[in-house]
Amino acid sequence: MVKKIVESWKVDDSKPVVVEKYDKVAVKNGIDDMLRSTFTSKYDVTETFKTRDTRLVICFVACLFSGFGCLYDYLHPFPESKMILAICSLSYFTITGLLYVWEWFVEKGTFFEGTLRGNSMKLSSYIPRYSGDYTITGESIVDGSRQEVKYTKCISTWLDESGTILPDKITKEAELLYQGLFKSKSQ
């Protein structure tokens, strides 16, 4: 039953991805999704979810503090539960602050993490405010050596006039990223 539900969530890759070309967030997410699907399908990179799982654990711990505070307040009404509520509230907001620090300094716009034959890779992207430049950063660790590829292009490079993301251009960019991230040391 769960397998049927998951299968119903799959995206039909044969349909073109159309976004509002003036909505930079939608364009960024569309390009990110196409790059992710290209790396997983064409290059057989296995997606890993370490940073997202860590974010979920941080959120879960914050919710545990919040839930415990609510439960304790329900079982022992307010004057008695004042100290526990204060501790749980401060803990919740501290952990939420830790979550923001995690997102800003560790995730840094990461939209894809994966492994290929024991080598790891990470892709992140960024579009500055009031700019149409899409910056993609790829990092990989191949046989113990760290490699990084970073370049910036205008988002119109991957869109046509109607806002359709062009898969052939995305595939070319993915090829450049792949070659830059997984080139052998001898090259």
Side-chain angles (χ1 to χ4, degrees):
M1 180 174 159
V2 173
K3 188 174 183 179
K4 287 182 183 179
I5 293 171
V6 171
E7 290 294 324
S8 69
W9 292 343
K10 291 211 174 189
V11 178
D12 185 10
D13 289 334
S14 63
K15 294 180 183 177
V17 177
V18 180
V19 295
E20 176 60 44
K21 64 182 177 180
Y22 299 109
D23 183 3
K24 291 190 302 186
V25 175
V27 171
K28 178 191 173 302
N29 291 338
I31 294 170
D32 292 349
D33 288 343
M34 298 256 324
L35 282 169
R36 176 187 295 122
S37 66
T38 302
F39 269 93
T40 55
S41 62
K42 184 176 179 183
Y43 302 111
D44 293 325
V45 177
T46 305
E47 189 167 7
T48 58
F49 301 96
K50 287 185 264 187
T51 56
R52 288 191 202 131
D53 289 344
T54 305
R55 184 188 335 171
L56 286 174
V57 167
I58 293 171
C59 292
F60 179 72
V61 170
C63 289
L64 282 178
F65 276 103
S66 177
F68 178 75
C70 290
L71 178 66
Y72 192 84
D73 187 51
Y74 177 76
L75 297 175
H76 306 280
F78 175 66
E80 187 181 344
S81 65
K82 185 169 32 173
M83 184 59 74
I84 298 296
L85 284 176
I87 291 170
C88 287
S89 296
L90 289 174
S91 299
Y92 175 81
F93 290 113
T94 302
I95 293 171
T96 304
L98 175 69
L99 177 65
Y100 289 131
V101 169
W102 176 264
E103 290 176 351
W104 288 337
F105 295 111
V106 176
E107 287 186 4
K108 296 184 229 176
T110 299
F111 66 89
F112 180 77
E113 285 182 300
T115 59
L116 179 67
R117 297 183 299 273
N119 301 316
S120 65
M121 66 165 295
K122 179 169 94 169
L123 298 176
S124 58
S125 64
Y126 177 70
I127 296 180
R129 193 174 195 177
Y130 307 120
S131 173
D133 294 335
Y134 177 88
T135 301
I136 185 161
T137 305
E139 300 172 14
S140 68
I141 299 176
V142 179
D143 299 329
S145 68
R146 186 168 191 260
Q147 297 173 354
E148 183 173 330
V149 175
K150 182 175 184 177
Y151 60 88
T152 302
K153 289 189 178 184
C154 183
I155 57 176
S156 64
T157 305
W158 298 293
L159 295 174
D160 65 3
E161 289 296 318
S162 65
T164 303
I165 297 177
L166 304 170
D168 55 334
K169 301 251 181 172
I170 296 291
T171 304
K172 288 178 186 175
E173 297 300 328
E175 178 68 29
L176 291 173
L177 277 170
Y178 182 80
Q179 292 300 324
L181 292 174
F182 291 107
K183 64 184 174 190
S184 65
K185 292 180 185 177
S186 61
Q187 293 179 342

